[in-house]
Structures are given as structure tokens and as C-alpha cells.
Amino acid sequence: MITDEDHRLRALADDGRWPELLAAYRQGRAVAAERAGEATAAGLAAPLGHLIAYSAPPEVAARLFDPDGGPGAAAGVGDHDAGPLWEVLATRHSWLRLAPLLGPAPVRRLVAHTRVLLGEDLSYGGSGGGPEPGADGVPLRLEPWEAAGWEEGARVREYLPCGGARSALLTLPADREGLVAVELPEPVERLGGQRAHRATVAAAALAALAPWAETVCVRGPAPLAAARLARRRRVTGGYLPFALVYPALVQAAAGGRERGSAHGRLAVWRALAAMAGRPGGGPEVAALVARMRCFTWQEPAAGLRHLHIALEDPASGVAWGISGSEEL
């Protein structure tokens, strides 16, 4: 039901009275936080927060996250409507406009990586002027293999002015094109032992990408990992370049409305760094991606969101598999 208060706020937005709308957001969120807790306050304030993040001048919209409004008044990284409020803001303005305005470090980091996904080069040699580098070693520009596999506009959700968003649904495999009948080998035991510590740490990082999927780690080629996960020995499958696998991994890690594509990118880089044995990223990740062999296969009953992929590092002789599906 549209209330008189909704009409009042819409009239303020139509008149461009954004400081008043920001004050209303802060007051409403703070009161709700005191009475019902942070989670409830974030949900109640989210529609107005979305409107401000989308349409207000950046000088006003960035203050959604500024703690100077007092306890409970500021949005955090988890505040979301159709998507995280920081992601809505990041889709509307360049890093050059936003960098001087954003205070909280977690928000700055996520906004910066969203701008990277949107195509900005924020590295010190790039046009963005270089924000502060993160300790995780994730580059502040897209690597060529990160940019190659996406359709135009699919890296970050497209938000609408009054709420809602459009996003592509990326699955793996997306269809049968390029796939053939494959007989998977006999399954082997999962990788174990002290020597496998690095590989199992990487498997844990891969599992964090999609909690609804099962993850395994084996010594051997990618089809051996697939054999541990596939429901049948004879599958429709084949190899893909990692550039085509990467978008589905990022979207799976981005999760639902409360997370964003920047979360997905950072999570995939953590997994790749763990596979390469280099927690801070670096050239080892690029070398791993260059030599990685990626096997995907179809399952007979896949949910709307699904992921069936095995990633093999020929240099270490280890393969990781992740497989599962989720109804949205």
C-alpha cells in the first residue's frame, strides 16, 4: 500500500530535495534500529536508500554510509533492496566522483571493485588515478581473461530508479553447444594427507563461492573430479577456456540480493590465489589461469541456477570440482 509518507518522499525526490530525503532516511533507520534491531532497520529503510543511492547527487548519496548521523543511521555493506546500496551507488558514478566522498573502508573497497567490473582501470597506471590498494592483491583493473567471457552489461546488475534490477542469469554449462558424450573415469578417493593441505585449502575457498554446491579435490585430471560429483558415468560434457567459466563463478559467489558482483570477484580471486598457493594473488594467479583446464558437464535435473565445473592445474596434478544447483 502506498502511504501519504511515500507520496511526500516522492514529492521531495521530484523536487530534488535530496538532503531532506537523506535526513529522513537517517532518522527512520536510526529509530527502527533502536526499536527493532539493525536487520529490521536495514530492511525498512532500504527502498528509500535505493532511491537516494540511484538518483541523488553523489555528494548526498555517499553519505548514506557516513556514520556521522549517529547510531543506527548509516547503511552498511549488507544493506540492500534490489541489491546492495553501495552497488547501486557504484553503478551511477565514476570512481573519480566517488573516491573523495566515501569514508568507510569496506564500502570504498566494494565500490572500487564494482567500478573495476564496470570497466574502469583504477590501477596506479590507469585512468582512475589509483585508489588505495587492498591487502588481498586483487588487481584494480580487469585482467584480459576477466573481461573476455561476459556479454555487454552482464558483469553488474542494472538497477532501476524506483527499485528492482535486471541481471543476466549465468550458469555452467549454459547449454549443450560444444559438448559431446563423455564417459567419465572411475571415481577416486578425495585428495588427502599432509601434502594435500594447500589443495584442500583451495577446495574450501572454492566451496565458499556457492554454499549450495558440493566441492571435491582429487589428484588427477579434471574428469576425475567430475566423476566424484556427477550423478552418472556417461555425461554430456567438454572443455571450456577459463574466460568462459569465470563469469559463472563470479555470479555464483555474488549470491542473492544482499551481495554484489564485487563480492563475487573478490571471492573468485581468493579461490584462485589459494589454488596457486599464493594467498596475496600476483603473477602466480595469471600463470594458473593460463594453464588451467576446465571441464563442464550437464546434469539431468539442474535448478535455475547451476554450476558443474572441474578445474585442473596440470602443474600440480590436482583438480577441483564444484557441482550443484539452486532454485531462485
Side-chain angles (χ1 to χ4, degrees):
M1 181 179 68
I2 299 176
T3 66
D4 290 341
E5 179 67 7
D6 294 328
H7 285 300
R8 184 182 75 85
L9 295 176
R10 173 52 60 188
L12 291 175
D14 291 342
D15 291 342
R17 294 163 66 177
W18 297 110
E20 293 176 58
L21 283 167
L22 176 65
Y25 172 88
R26 288 177 157 188
Q27 181 181 15
R29 195 186 187 290
V31 169
E34 182 178 4
R35 292 177 178 174
E38 273 288 317
T40 299
L44 291 174
L48 179 55
H50 179 107
L51 177 64
I52 295 170
Y54 186 94
S55 298
E59 294 78 10
V60 175
R63 295 188 64 202
L64 284 167
F65 310 98
D66 196 328
D68 67 357
V77 296
D79 284 52
H80 65 278
D81 187 36
L85 299 187
W86 52 263
E87 187 172 74
V88 178
L89 176 63
T91 64
R92 303 298 294 159
H93 308 284
S94 70
W95 178 253
L96 191 64
R97 294 289 305 277
L98 293 173
L101 305 172
L102 292 169
V107 172
R108 288 182 65 85
R109 178 170 179 254
L110 291 167
V111 169
H113 281 284
T114 303
R115 294 307 310 173
V116 169
L117 281 164
L118 289 168
E120 281 199 63
D121 182 352
L122 304 188
S123 63
Y124 282 95
S127 60
E132 59 279 8
D136 49 25
V138 181
L140 289 167
R141 66 176 184 276
L142 286 180
E143 296 297 307
W145 48 267
E146 290 186 275
W150 302 81
E151 293 184 6
E152 185 68 26
R155 295 180 202 147
V156 180
R157 280 172 281 211
E158 178 189 356
Y159 290 100
L160 306 177
C162 296
R166 302 187 187 99
S167 62
L169 181 62
L170 305 177
T171 58
L172 206 68
D175 52 40
R176 295 172 61 96
E177 185 177 354
L179 305 183
V180 297
V182 177
E183 189 77 21
L184 295 177
E186 285 287 345
V188 297
E189 291 300 315
R190 298 169 190 254
L191 193 64
Q194 185 61 35
R195 291 189 307 166
H197 176 69
R198 189 185 91 188
T200 52
V201 168
L206 193 64
L209 301 184
W212 39 266
E214 182 183 0
T215 306
V216 299
C217 179
V218 302
R219 189 170 300 282
L224 271 178
R228 290 283 308 177
L229 296 167
R231 297 182 183 181
R232 54 185 66 179
R233 290 280 305 284
R234 189 170 180 82
V235 299
T236 300
Y239 285 92
L240 296 174
F242 185 76
L244 297 182
V245 172
Y246 175 75
L249 293 175
V250 170
Q251 193 178 79
R257 292 187 302 168
E258 71 278 7
R259 297 175 69 81
S261 295
H263 275 296
R265 181 180 190 237
L266 292 167
V268 172
W269 270 87
R270 280 194 296 271
L272 291 172
M275 291 178 188
R278 178 80 176 188
E284 290 84 355
V285 170
L288 171 68
V289 168
R291 67 178 181 262
M292 187 113 68
R293 303 192 72 216
C294 308
F295 180 84
T296 186
W297 71 97
Q298 285 192 319
E299 291 287 356
L304 192 57
R305 175 189 286 149
H306 59 267
L307 193 63
H308 307 295
I309 183 71
L311 306 170
E312 173 192 342
D313 178 9
S316 64
V318 173
W320 298 267
I322 179 168
S323 178
S325 64
E326 180 185 42
E327 294 295 344
L328 299 181

